[in-house]
Amino acid sequence: MAAPTISAAQAVGEYLQSPDDLAKVAAFRKKLEKEKASIDARLRSGVKEQLDATRDGLRKLFGTRNNVQSIKDEMETVDRTCGDPAYVVSTFDQISRVSMVHRNFEQTEEMVNNLLEMNSKLEMLEQMLIEDSNDILGPAPNLLRIHFALNRLEAFRNQTMHQAKKSSTDTRNTLTRWFERLTRLIEAFDEYVMELAKNILPIVRAGNPDVIVRLLKVVEMEAREDEKAIAIRLVKKAGKIDAASKFRSMQADARVIKHYRSKVMKCITDSIQAKFDEVYAANERNAAGFLDDLVFIYKDLIRIESDVVPCFPPSYDIWSTYVREYHKALNNILTRLVKSEPEASVLLTLHAWIKEYKKSMRELNIPPELLEPPLLEGKEQSLIEDYLQLIIKKLDEWSENLMRTEVAAFTAREEPPELSADGLYTTSGTVIFLDMVNQQIDLALDSGQGLVLARAVEEVNRVMRSIQDRWVKLVDTEYKKHIEKPEEVPGGLVEYCIALANDQIKSADFTEALSARIEPLVSEKYSVTIHDRLNDALDGYLDVAKKYTQTLINIIFNDLKPAVKQLFGPTWYEGTHAQIIETMRDYMSDYQSYLNESLFEVLLEDLLDTYLVTYLTALANGPKLNMPAATERIRQDINDAYQFFGTYKKMKELEPQMEVLDQVLAMLEASKSLVFLSYWSFAKVHGPCIQFVEALMKARSDLDRSAVSEVMDSVKRKVKEENLADPPEPTIMKKIVIQGALSRFLVRS
């Protein structure tokens, strides 16, 4: 947008804003005069330049008009001079016919001579081609001579066949048969040229770069002949051509376009791909070996740059072509390798190899634009993900197959479990699984990436937890069958539970050792994840082991159900409790022989708890006790229990746990007035336990209802006075369940 015009008055007004500005009028005037002088000088210079340019343009215009007129006059003269010769020369038609006949005679004579001499020439050329072809690596001394001679013979054949197009079929067939030998030789020469193109690098390595130079001379000459023929055909197609060009037009029509240059370049490309295919085929079952053998890429490119590039004309840009084709062939073969689903270690090696390849190409100063497309579409980092997925896949496949076999063996239980080196029951599947985990973790370690190792550990945790859950559910199912339909299930459940429990401890030890081995190898960022996941799996193994030991205890007490039901009943006074002790002794003998020592100690503690809970629950919910025979029997039972458990535990460790039975016995033996004293010793350890004590007092046959009431009143009063509460840590008494009267009746029934 043009700036608005400002008048002289406005400009002066803007400059003289106040009376004080009048003092500056002289300076302002000088400034304006300088600006005017400068503008006038520029205007004069600009006007002069425009006038000079206009004057020069007019001179050229007049000169051009004169030249055009002169050319027009001369063209009219030429047109008159070059009119139809028939009107200028009266005998021109005769001269033209005689000239044509003469040319036909010459061509016929040349054709006959060529046909007569062709076989001898072919014989010589065939021998020369055989000599050169015997060693494809050179020196090929006859290459240019063969090509020159064949080129002339081929031109003769093409012209002859072109001229015979309007001849009879028999004539054309005769000529075709006559030229069969030449055609075969031309094809053999073409094959030889293409074979040379496929072996450019080996020829150079054999010390014969001059063969490549001669080859390219052949290619260039054929390319020029192709270009001439194509150009003449285009001119002929575009319009009329003069008589002098008709013969050249016939030659162009007769020539077969060979496209030698494009064919040679394709041979180079094919030879590069063939070399990669050859190396891949030689290492088809050894992908790591294949990657090692790819070192030839660097050797080839260095040799190409130093020895092959100088043999080619610059227009070929052969260095760029070789680099691009080597890179493309490499990309094709690596893509093929990845699609073949190689081992995880191969993916890892490939990832490292690609990094080294990029580094080597930079060291060779190869421009990045020549290395297109990026190897594996630039997704080489996905190799690590594929590597990890392969680890996960193998882990899942192997663990699933292993579990299928182990579950079948567990449910059938046709053979006893295997014995480990230390004589404990075990399963072979656990050893196999732990070896498998070790292998996959080692593969993840080989990646050198903490992320890969952390994710592999997460997957190991997932598989371990899954296997733990499946075993727990299976053992629960088998135990349920054992309880409900013992006659329909195979034996050996105890032995297999022992084996599984041992395996859990073995797996826990392995997991702990694994954590200690790999945690220091990664940064804190990943070591925390690894520690947490392996600790979670470790806790899972210990929990499952505890679950199995509880199942072993449940099996014991399932067998003891009839004996437990008789506790404190009429037959109990005759020594039923001894049957319970003997049954536990039989089972514990087997458990001690085949169960892990640490697990046996855990099982022993749980068995003691279960025994105490069972005994005290039966006492609290049992029938009336015949006093004092009942206390004598209980004292004997306690002695039997001490003897049995004392076999496996030191007495000083056993007494605090068995003390509850002594305290209960003391309450049963105490007189009505002294019960609260015995109770106080009991309550200080286990809390009030009012329900249990009341059930105990009611069971005594030597106390009537009023006596029981008096005892309980004194007990409750003591609890209230002492403000007695449950202990901070629950004791065995917390597990005792006191049944109501109806429940007791139903149980006894």
Side-chain angles (χ1 to χ4, degrees), residues 244-528:
S245 299
K246 285 183 179 178
F247 183 68
R248 289 197 300 273
S249 173
M250 184 186 71
Q251 289 178 317
D253 286 339
R255 177 173 173 81
V256 177
I257 306 299
K258 293 192 174 181
H259 304 293
Y260 257 28
R261 178 164 174 168
S262 61
K263 288 179 180 177
V264 165
M265 299 307 290
K266 185 176 186 305
C267 285
I268 291 174
T269 299
D270 292 345
S271 67
I272 293 170
Q273 186 63 57
K275 185 165 187 177
F276 277 89
D277 291 340
E278 181 185 349
V279 174
Y280 183 80
N283 295 279
E284 194 163 5
R285 296 186 178 180
N286 180 15
F290 164 69
L291 292 175
D292 289 340
D293 287 351
L294 286 179
V295 70
F296 77 83
I297 296 173
Y298 314 120
K299 296 178 180 178
D300 285 4
L301 289 177
I302 291 170
R303 193 62 180 263
I304 288 165
E305 186 177 25
S306 63
D307 295 344
V308 174
V309 171
C311 298
F312 279 76
S315 63
Y316 280 72
D317 192 17
I318 197 64
W319 170 244
S320 298
T321 299
Y322 265 106
V323 171
R324 284 194 186 96
E325 295 307 324
Y326 265 82
H327 182 76
K328 287 178 184 176
L330 174 63
N331 186 46
N332 292 338
I333 210 74
L334 292 186
T335 302
R336 181 175 164 193
L337 174 62
V338 172
K339 287 182 178 178
S340 69
E341 298 185 354
E343 292 293 327
S345 58
V346 174
L347 293 177
L348 191 61
T349 305
L350 177 56
H351 180 265
W353 190 92
I354 290 176
K355 289 173 67 176
E356 185 61 31
Y357 171 78
K358 290 180 177 179
K359 179 183 174 184
S360 299
M361 289 314 220
R362 284 195 298 271
E363 291 174 354
L364 291 173
N365 296 318
I366 292 177
E369 57 269 18
L370 298 182
L371 303 178
E372 293 291 337
L375 294 180
L376 304 177
E377 300 180 358
K379 300 176 181 176
E380 63 267 22
Q381 188 58 33
S382 66
L383 289 173
I384 296 297
E385 183 63 30
D386 293 343
Y387 172 77
L388 186 60
Q389 291 303 318
L390 194 54
I391 290 177
I392 295 169
K393 180 182 176 184
K394 293 297 183 185
L395 202 57
D396 287 339
E397 284 179 359
W398 294 342
S399 61
E400 181 59 35
N401 293 337
L402 194 59
M403 277 300 292
R404 193 181 299 116
T405 303
E406 290 297 295
V407 167
F410 180 84
T411 51
R413 296 194 288 279
E414 294 174 349
E415 300 289 336
E418 298 178 8
L419 288 175
S420 64
D422 47 5
L424 304 181
Y425 281 140
T426 186
T427 63
S428 59
T430 298
V431 176
I432 296 171
F433 174 72
L434 298 181
D435 285 344
M436 179 182 68
V437 168
N438 242 340
Q439 290 175 16
Q440 302 312 306
I441 291 296
D442 287 343
L443 282 175
L445 277 171
D446 290 342
S447 71
Q449 296 193 21
L451 175 62
V452 173
L453 181 59
R455 288 190 58 188
V457 168
E458 287 177 351
E459 293 303 323
V460 166
N461 168 265
R462 175 183 60 80
V463 173
M464 285 179 169
R465 278 305 216 168
S466 173
I467 291 175
Q468 291 167 9
D469 291 342
R470 288 179 67 178
W471 275 123
V472 167
K473 291 175 182 176
L474 180 62
V475 170
D476 285 346
T477 301
E478 290 298 305
Y479 176 69
K480 187 177 180 182
K481 291 179 184 176
H482 176 79
I483 299 302
E484 296 175 353
K485 299 176 181 179
E487 69 283 351
E488 295 181 9
V489 296
L493 182 60
V494 168
E495 289 79 1
Y496 271 86
C497 281
I498 292 174
L500 289 176
N502 289 337
D503 288 346
Q504 304 313 300
I505 297 302
K506 185 184 298 180
S507 300
D509 291 342
F510 165 82
T511 306
E512 188 174 25
L514 179 64
S515 181
R517 175 166 73 94
I518 65 177
E519 276 184 51
L521 303 179
V522 295
S523 65
E524 185 178 355
K525 177 181 178 182
Y526 299 113
S527 66
V528 172

Side-chain angles (χ1 to χ4, degrees), residues 125-139:
L125 293 174
E126 285 172 348
Q127 186 59 37
M128 291 166 66
L129 182 60
I130 289 171
E131 290 174 3
D132 283 8
S133 300
N134 282 338
D135 188 357
I136 199 65
L137 301 183

Side-chain angles (χ1 to χ4, degrees), residues 26-57:
F28 181 50
R29 181 178 179 180
K30 286 181 181 180
K31 178 185 176 186
L32 292 177
E33 285 174 350
K34 284 182 182 179
E35 290 179 355
K36 180 176 180 301
S38 174
I39 292 170
D40 288 345
R42 287 201 299 272
L43 285 173
R44 281 194 297 273
S45 175
V47 168
K48 184 177 181 303
E49 288 176 1
Q50 289 297 320
L51 285 173
D52 291 344
T54 304
R55 192 179 295 113
D56 185 57

Side-chain angles (χ1 to χ4, degrees), residues 142-143 211 229 286 326 378 380 409 570 634 706:
N142 303 310
L143 179 61
V211 175
N286 180 15
Y326 265 82
E380 63 267 22
I634 290 172
S706 62

